Amino acid sequence: TGYFATGATKVLEILGQWQPQWGTNDGTTLDVNDGTGSDPGTFAVPSGAGFYTFEMDFGANTFSYTPYDASTATEYTTMSVLGSATVGGTTATAINQLAHDKHIWYARSIHLTTGNVQFITNTGSVWAGTTPFSGKATENGGNIPVAVEDDYDVWFNDLTGRYILIPLNL
């Protein structure tokens, strides 16, 4: 769920690699180039720029865009990761806001030890979940367990509460 501009989109399966890439050739079903065929066509935002939930269903081989009303969503100006898994357990690590979507936050290659983390906003709101690696955070939702010490790419969507902590060295 996020902001989509008008135009064409593809999904890359592996960060930094052009294949496998996902798209559509007929506007309704998923197509993929796994590196052995030709590239599929692009996904097109159906009703112009705006917020959508984009879903891919690999079982049914379909995709969809569903409009999402973000008009009443809080737009935070800063976001940090803090918890016993951060440096010294007391140092907040600022995370970045995507330039084109003020609700998607990320940090690349931050070191986390075993422990827990939460997302802290500029308003003092605390967002967290209870499942390691990925899940859905809620306001005052506990602590996100960090089960493995590693460097992580961290992503958080403040519209949906979805987060993912991607270990980089496992």
Side-chain angles (χ1 to χ4, degrees), residues 100-148:
H100 69 277
D101 187 337
K102 295 187 183 312
H103 298 286
I104 307 290
W105 300 85
Y106 70 96
R108 298 234 189 249
S109 193
I110 62 173
H111 189 78
L112 299 175
T113 62
T114 57
N116 61 67
V117 294
Q118 300 172 326
F119 297 100
I120 313 296
T121 73
N122 60 286
T123 64
S125 296
V126 177
W127 289 79
T130 57
T131 57
F133 300 111
S134 68
K136 185 174 182 177
T138 57
E139 196 165 359
N140 301 315
N143 291 298
I144 299 167
V146 178
V148 177

Side-chain angles (χ1 to χ4, degrees), residues 16-18 43 46 54 59 69-70 73 75 91 95 104 108 124 135 163 170:
Q17 295 184 20
W18 193 239
F43 300 111
F54 176 72
D69 183 4
E75 287 190 11
T91 303
I95 59 177
I104 307 290
R108 298 234 189 249
Y163 62 87
L170 291 182

